[in-house]
Amino acid sequence: MSYYLGVDVGTTTTRAVVYDQTARKIQEASQTYPLYRQADGMAEQEPRQLVNAVVDVINEVVAAADLTPNEIKAVGFSSSNQSVILLDDHYQPLTRVITWADTRAARVAKRVQQSLTAQPLYSRTGTPIHPMSPLIKLMWLQEAHPDLMAKAAYVGDVKSFLFNQLFGCFKVDISIASSTGMFNITKSEWDSEALKMAGISSDQLPQVVNGTTQQRGLVETMADRLNLPKDVPFIFGAYDGAMTNVGVGATAEDTVAITIGSSAGVRVVTDHPVIDPEQRLFCYCLDEGKWVVGGPLNNGGAVFDWAVRHMVDTNAVRNSGGDQFDVANSVIAETPVGAHGLIFHPFLGGERAPLWDANARGSFSGLTPLHTRADMLRAVMEGITMNIATVFQVLCELVGRPKSVTATGGFSRSLVWRQMLADVLNTEVKVPQHFAAAALGAATMAMKSVGQTTTVAATTNHDIVMADYQPQAQAVDIYQQVLPIFTRLEGFLTPSYQSLAALQERLSHYQE
């Protein structure tokens, strides 16, 4: 029997999972680390903590699976994308990892959005203009920290830094490269105009490789630390959203993958680039002849966590014998669909798709004296789900309506939320049980690389238990009435977001 490792390097957690050659999960290990938020808009990782976490979880999971090192045939990688790390001429960090969640480049993004370069830039790169984009981050660094940019010999990201530490190379997979805002997705090369805007050259960026590319020959220090053969192939894989699609078998246009964790994402795999004339969606490369089209959303489960903390009655929790999330889900299940006409826009952390506005703010609309905390809780969950539906609708418009949706993430612990997703989308929703999708996708890419399988679509054959949720007619009817109002209100509110953000910033100074 051959065994494969899937490693998923996330924003606050790295997970390693061992699979056998049939993609059956054998063992799992994970390690968490902090996300540094020491300034307004900052969201950074310590790069060496990431490397140490990868080493630790690989050693832990191989030992827990009781395997000999030689039984591991390949290691595949998934990682978050749209990160930036400045490196010196020895590839050592000059900065921490500036993650996708960092919004300090918001003013630069707004300026570029309003320029004549925005549309042609998006058409070439498939990356909407937003503070998450490495291009925009680099433009901000040029203005805010020119001294660091002047010292930077190289510009890397989580994946390229990790592989440099492991192997001494400076390479990155095409999916990570194509989500930087600096990569031409039709020509498959760094975009000269984007690089000029960023103030860097292609010589400072990693070599771009396919996701199935193998890297062998661990550097001595890593070979000593990792309990693996020195020449075991490490496979570059792709970014975590794309790997989730692969992991759940959503590798064709008839299946959409939705992830609802702290944030959220809606994605479909196509066999051709899809560029949205209104710049609402991204389009990144995945593998040879495959692209990922979709939208990332800032506001997923983290917004629901906020609502639970502030709206669940502590006495009810004490009396229930459960926790506050059990109480919240019970309350929501007993509250009528549509929350008595209360609508919530969940933009507590700005928003990426479909608005691409870091200044977006949350709001309740339609409050009356009759509304209760139960209505507000349900409206929050519905608002998060309807925001996801707005991205789903754009995907349907550009790619076609899918046969089904496969949904993963922490939201799946809530049975009421699973059914709500099917009702709001008016589409069958399948939820895999107990399943690390991105890690499985990474392991599948590793299997493809070494010839264990011939296509990433092979994961549709592995043994995943799915729970199916069919849309319920009455709920669908109500949500079909609510969604247009949700969208119309969003349009009314959007012009005020920048003024609201500026007001909040001014008022915060009075409290210092």
Side-chain angles (χ1 to χ4, degrees):
M1 181 71 74
S2 300
Y3 296 92
Y4 299 85
L5 268 179
V7 181
D8 179 27
V9 185
T11 307
T12 58
T13 304
T14 286
R15 176 176 286 103
V17 186
V18 175
Y19 299 93
D20 67 18
Q21 62 196 35
T22 68
R24 182 173 63 93
K25 176 181 169 182
I26 305 300
Q27 191 60 259
E28 177 179 340
S30 64
Q31 185 175 122
T32 62
Y33 32 79
L35 183 66
Y36 296 94
R37 294 186 177 274
Q38 296 155 323
D40 187 34
M42 175 191 285
E44 295 183 341
Q45 298 165 315
E46 180 56 53
R48 299 201 184 283
Q49 288 179 333
L50 297 179
V51 175
N52 291 337
V54 168
V55 172
D56 291 346
V57 296
I58 288 176
N59 286 339
E60 182 182 342
V61 79
V62 172
D66 196 24
L67 301 176
T68 64
N70 288 327
E71 289 180 286
I72 301 295
K73 300 305 178 186
V75 183
F77 276 83
S78 161
S79 75
S80 56
N81 63 348
Q82 294 173 323
S83 60
V84 168
I85 175 171
L86 301 184
L87 305 169
D88 66 17
D89 54 0
H90 297 293
Y91 300 98
Q92 297 307 303
L94 294 170
T95 64
R96 290 194 294 216
V97 176
I98 304 173
T99 71
W100 64 269
D102 196 295
T103 60
R104 287 173 291 177
R107 286 188 176 88
V108 176
K110 181 63 70 175
R111 188 173 72 234
V112 176
Q113 283 175 338
Q114 295 170 347
S115 73
L116 296 176
T117 61
Q119 180 62 47
L121 179 66
Y122 167 76
S123 296
R124 296 194 307 272
T125 66
T127 303
I129 308 301
H130 188 269
M132 71 172 189
S133 167
L135 164 63
I136 304 301
K137 289 183 173 73
L138 289 169
M139 293 176 69
W140 170 74
L141 284 167
Q142 291 283 8
E143 297 178 11
H145 300 284
D147 53 330
L148 285 174
M149 288 297 291
K151 293 177 185 176
Y154 301 100
V155 178
D157 59 276
V158 167
K159 185 81 68 75
S160 61
F161 179 75
L162 176 61
F163 270 74
N164 179 263
Q165 295 294 295
L166 292 170
F167 298 98
C169 65
F170 193 48
K171 301 176 182 177
V172 74
D173 64 81
I174 193 169
S175 84
I176 297 287
S178 67
S179 62
T180 60
M182 299 182 290
F183 191 80
N184 189 307
I185 61 171
T186 54
K187 294 183 178 179
S188 291
E189 63 185 25
W190 294 113
D191 186 85
S192 59
E193 291 300 313
L195 297 187
K196 189 182 299 182
M197 293 172 66
I200 61 173
S201 70
S202 58
D203 293 337
Q204 293 177 272
L205 292 167
Q207 176 188 347
V208 180
V209 298
N210 287 327
T212 52
T213 299
Q214 300 179 13
Q215 195 69 39
R216 297 173 183 260
L218 291 162
V219 299
E220 289 299 331
T221 53
M222 287 298 170
D224 292 340
R225 292 179 61 189
L226 275 168
N227 188 26
L228 291 175
K230 186 176 180 179
D231 64 345
V232 67
F234 278 53
I235 317 304
F236 282 85
Y239 84 94
D240 50 8
M243 289 291 77
T244 296
N245 273 63
V246 171
V248 300
T251 55
E253 292 182 12
D254 63 355
T255 305
V256 168
I258 292 180
T259 305
I260 311 176
S262 295
S263 56
V266 184
R267 301 169 306 274
V268 67
V269 173
T270 67
D271 58 7
H272 60 284
V274 176
I275 298 297
D276 177 17
E278 297 182 41
Q279 303 181 50
R280 294 164 294 181
L281 302 182
F282 63 70
C283 180
Y284 305 146
C285 304
L286 167 58
D287 194 25
E288 296 176 69
K290 295 285 186 182
W291 285 261
V292 183
V293 183
L297 301 98
N298 285 358
N299 300 288
V303 177
F304 185 61
D305 290 351
W306 164 84
V308 169
R309 287 198 310 273
H310 291 284
M311 297 176 197
V312 171
D313 185 81
T314 53
N315 291 325
V317 175
R318 234 183 344 258
N319 296 334
S320 73
D323 64 21
Q324 57 186 356
F325 291 96
D326 294 331
V327 172
N329 281 289
S330 176
V331 166
I332 290 168
E334 294 169 3
T335 303
V337 172
H340 294 108
L342 183 60
I343 292 176
F344 178 71
H345 288 88
F347 310 132
L348 302 194
E351 191 50 283
R352 291 177 288 172
L355 300 180
W356 301 102
D357 188 348
N359 291 319
R361 294 295 186 263
S363 60
F364 284 99
S365 298
L367 270 170
T368 74
L370 299 178
H371 284 115
T372 65
R373 280 191 289 184
D375 292 319
M376 297 176 80
L377 271 173
R378 181 160 191 117
V380 167
M381 185 181 282
E382 290 180 338
I384 296 166
T385 310
M386 283 188 278
N387 192 39
I388 289 167
T390 63
V391 179
F392 179 77
Q393 287 173 335
V394 178
L395 266 186
C396 293
E397 174 189 325
L398 296 176
V399 180
R401 190 167 186 87
K403 293 179 181 177
S404 68
V405 167
T406 302
T408 59
F411 96 104
S412 64
R413 291 190 290 271
S414 167
L415 296 181
V416 66
W417 204 343
R418 295 183 185 192
Q419 183 60 54
M420 183 185 291
L421 184 62
D423 295 338
V424 171
L425 300 183
N426 191 20
T427 302
E428 177 190 33
V429 170
K430 299 180 179 180
V431 181
Q433 306 295 299
H434 311 298
F435 173 61
L440 178 55
T444 302
M445 290 284 268
M447 293 179 195
K448 181 182 178 186
S449 177
V450 299
Q452 179 65 39
T453 182
T454 58
T455 171
V456 292
T459 53
T460 55
N461 298 324
H462 61 64
D463 184 22
I464 301 176
V465 178
M466 295 274 194
D468 289 348
Y469 294 83
Q470 299 293 333
Q472 298 176 338
Q474 184 175 353
V476 169
D477 179 62
I478 293 171
Y479 287 132
Q480 293 296 306
Q481 297 176 58
V482 175
L483 263 169
I485 301 173
F486 177 93
T487 304
R488 193 158 61 247
L489 283 169
E490 184 181 286
F492 293 149
L493 292 167
T494 296
S496 299
Y497 287 146
Q498 186 170 355
S499 298
L500 273 172
L503 174 64
Q504 290 169 351
E505 184 176 357
R506 288 196 303 272
L507 293 179
S508 69
H509 295 319
Y510 288 96
Q511 301 165 1
E512 292 178 355

